[in-house]
Amino acid sequence: MLLQTKIQKIVFSILAILLLVTTVKDWFDFHACGAVSVCLSDAGQLQLYTKFAMSVMLTALAFVTAANGFSVRDGKILRIAFIFSLLADFSFSMIKAIAPDTGSLSTALGIACFMVFQTVLIYRHSRTSESDNSIPKIYWLLAVALVAAVVLGATKILDFTVALVVAYAVFLITSIVVGILAPRKGFYPAENAKFVRIGMIVWFFGDALVGLSMISGDDHSALQMVATLANNFIWWVYVPSQLLVIRSCVKPKA
């Protein structure tokens, strides 16, 4: 337990440093480039690495915390979820850094991994007992959204990435609703259920910022300014949301 606490403190310290470096560089780039997407993209290579490093730290924290969670299976499910969160951030950051010409592919892979992440969280948050292995009935909605995205993308009614974004929105909203309502009826201790609810609500605002950051407009336009400002605040919401979800696994004090 003492070793776990030390590891958690080290991870928190590294996270804080990485978040500070990312923030300073984001705002320095904004000062240098203004709301010019190409300039910001070229200047923001360091952030691709610092953001992925933060994702690695968060995943490590999830694995360490789950080892002493209130439920063995809940800890295992949390670990699976964070593996896909890490894969999503690898797609958004490292693939983009290593192969910048694969922009749409890396985005699609990242969205797909976050869809799996939300699917796992829905399963986690809807369980009613330690032995509950039932498949959530709400999965039918996710299946419909996924099939619709594939059809819309394949028939070119929508750009495939746009179709995935729409499908992910269904996954996200479903996960938030389940995260807010289900733990109250499940086996989560009251304090843990509270962290689940708050974590999913904060996650929504983080994804809302991601959506705003994807807006494109003319250089220095109001739309491009909104996108740039939203991008600079994403990780200040994303990190707390993940920390809250991780905290929901901790065994309550007697």
Side-chain angles (χ1 to χ4, degrees), residues 107-137:
T107 299
L109 287 173
I111 294 171
C113 287
F114 269 132
M115 289 168 76
V116 178
F117 172 79
Q118 297 296 353
T119 302
V120 175
L121 287 189
I122 291 169
Y123 177 75
R124 178 190 182 224
H125 299 155
S126 62
R127 294 171 64 232
T128 57
S129 69
E130 183 69 1
S131 60
D132 183 5
N133 294 314
S134 61
I135 302 299
K137 294 179 181 178

Side-chain angles (χ1 to χ4, degrees), residues 177-233:
V177 172
V178 171
I180 291 173
L181 299 179
R184 297 177 183 176
K185 303 176 182 178
F187 74 109
Y188 281 86
E191 184 178 2
N192 298 66
K194 179 184 70 176
F195 282 112
V196 169
R197 291 194 295 271
I198 298 173
M200 294 313 300
I201 291 170
V202 175
W203 191 286
F204 169 78
F205 287 107
D207 274 346
L209 288 173
V210 172
L212 289 174
S213 73
M214 296 174 71
I215 295 172
S216 60
D218 296 332
D219 292 344
H220 305 296
S221 66
L223 284 177
Q224 195 61 47
M225 184 68 72
V226 169
T228 302
L229 293 175
N231 179 74
N232 286 7
F233 284 105

Side-chain angles (χ1 to χ4, degrees), residues 111 114-119 122 138-149 152 158 162-179 200 203-204 207:
I111 294 171
F114 269 132
M115 289 168 76
V116 178
F117 172 79
Q118 297 296 353
T119 302
I122 291 169
I138 199 66
Y139 273 5
W140 69 266
L141 179 61
L142 307 187
V144 170
L146 186 58
V147 170
L152 291 172
L158 286 178
V162 174
L164 271 182
V165 169
V166 173
Y168 175 71
V170 176
F171 279 62
L172 174 64
I173 292 170
T174 303
S175 185
I176 291 170
V177 172
V178 171
M200 294 313 300
W203 191 286
F204 169 78
D207 274 346

